[in-house]
Amino acid sequence: MARWFLRGLRRGVVTTRYPHRPDPEAARVPTPPAFDPARLTGALADQLVAVCPSGALERRGDTLVLDVGACTACQRCLPVAGAAGRPSGVFECAATDRDRLRVAIPIRGQHR
Amino acid sequence: MTRLLTPSPSDPAVAPTADQLRAQVGRLFGRSLYIRTVDTGSCAACESEIRLLAAPHYDLHRLGFFFTPAPRHADLLMVTGPGTTGMAHALRATHAAMPDPKVVVAVGACALGGVYRQADDLTHGGVTGLLPVDVLIPGCPPSPLALLQGLLVAVGRLAERIEPARFRIEGAEAP
Ligand code: SF4
Ligand code: SF4
């Protein structure tokens, strides 16, 4: 394996060091959204639920539930969310329990 | 003495728990683990990302993972697609043909029940209802890095990093 690695280095091709070091390419991977509870209003949450084509967003009272397992990271919710959302940058999403992928985001915004 | 063959997980009285299974698989196969993939109706993007794992940039062989076409030689089953009814039998037969202990990894939003949300005549709405799934890897498709992390979680070499706080933007100034 080391020989391949050295040959790769000589030719300018380097295998990722992940998981021992972060991979710089990870920043270019589309990731599920992150939302700001302080800017999230009920009306905005309803709009986000309506725009998500994968059904990954669900409103439960004062909580917006993001199902990371269903999210396709299409980012269609981000223009709607405006300042209340951005890509989370989390690509290490593996889970041993389906429910751990359902993330509750409190809706704390007062008005838009 | 290490028991190479564990009781079949279908017998709940003697089946190892998921954690025990993962620890055992990590101990036995931590650096030599064979993967069989089954496509249950994926769009092929998930499959393509899995193939990329063997490409020079990711080189999963350096981590001790290898692909095998034979279920009899496989320790880990990667399943993509929403579990089409036509593939259900083949999927179960593949799983049954694998020696114990074995780990099942569901790959992609389809397999996790995200794209086809309900079971109908054509799909089972994911594979979680078809097999005991040990590790779920979200994404549409998951990037090879996400797949690598999922594989390492499956053999207990990396911890899960899914935290609700990472999907909340806290501390931003009030609007
Ligand atoms: S990124 Fe796409 S799939 Fe994910 S929550 Fe937003 S709209 Fe839904
Ligand atoms: S999860 Fe997405 S990429 Fe994977 S098979 Fe389904 S539609 Fe295709």
Side-chain angles (χ1 to χ4, degrees):
Chain A
M1 211 62 78
R3 251 177 61 206
W4 294 113
F5 183 72
L6 290 175
R7 187 181 299 175
L9 268 188
R10 262 206 317 273
R11 296 188 182 166
V13 181
V14 182
T15 298
T16 178
R17 309 281 301 271
Y18 184 86
H20 306 293
R21 302 268 174 81
D23 187 311
E25 294 295 311
R28 289 167 49 187
V29 172
T31 52
F35 295 109
D36 181 354
R39 290 172 199 256
L40 204 55
T41 61
L44 180 56
D46 289 338
Q47 283 177 36
L48 293 171
V49 172
V51 82
C52 176
S54 314
L57 295 170
E58 188 193 335
R59 172 109 185 250
R60 287 192 203 150
D62 282 343
T63 308
L64 180 67
V65 180
L66 165 65
D67 183 354
V68 177
C71 174
T72 60
C74 71
Q75 312 207 333
R76 269 182 236 187
C77 51
L78 293 184
V80 178
R86 60 168 161 76
S88 64
V90 181
F91 73 92
E92 295 164 305
C93 293
T96 51
D97 180 4
R98 185 70 182 82
D99 279 336
R100 214 167 286 169
L101 294 170
R102 297 193 175 93
V103 176
I105 296 150
I107 299 173
R108 288 205 290 262
Q110 300 305 315
H111 50 79
R112 288 201 75 188
Chain B
M1 197 190 89
T2 308
R3 292 183 63 190
L4 281 175
L5 291 178
T6 56
S8 168
S10 56
D11 184 348
V14 286
T17 66
D19 285 345
Q20 284 170 342
L21 190 70
R22 260 197 304 284
Q24 190 177 17
V25 167
R27 200 171 60 244
L28 291 176
F29 305 119
R31 303 226 162 238
S32 174
L33 183 118
Y34 277 79
I35 302 169
R36 161 81 204 187
T37 62
V38 171
D39 174 348
T40 66
S42 84
C43 73
C46 278
E47 293 291 318
S48 149
E49 301 293 298
I50 291 174
R51 297 295 156 240
L52 272 176
L53 285 172
H57 182 70
Y58 302 103
D59 190 16
L60 88 169
H61 305 140
R62 81 200 145 98
L63 296 166
F65 295 108
F66 305 90
F67 291 112
T68 173
R72 294 271 190 230
H73 301 163
D75 311 304
L76 187 147
L77 180 62
M78 278 180 123
V79 192
T80 60
T84 50
T85 45
M87 277 301 285
H89 174 70
L91 179 63
R92 289 200 188 98
T94 304
H95 184 253
M98 290 169 58
D100 291 326
K102 50 196 164 191
V103 173
V104 180
V105 176
V107 174
C110 284
L112 271 55
V115 180
Y116 303 86
R117 307 188 64 76
Q118 310 272 314
D120 57 24
D121 292 348
L122 297 176
T123 82
H124 285 83
V127 299
T128 45
L130 284 171
L131 286 182
V133 175
D134 299 294
V135 173
L136 308 119
I137 308 182
C140 183
S143 71
L145 288 176
L147 293 171
L148 271 186
Q149 193 240 352
L151 287 173
L152 291 166
V153 167
V155 296
R157 282 164 61 187
L158 276 190
E160 288 170 63
R161 298 205 57 204
I162 187 103
E163 299 282 343
R166 303 183 78 193
F167 299 94
R168 294 181 199 135
I169 309 170
E170 298 285 1
E173 82 282 12

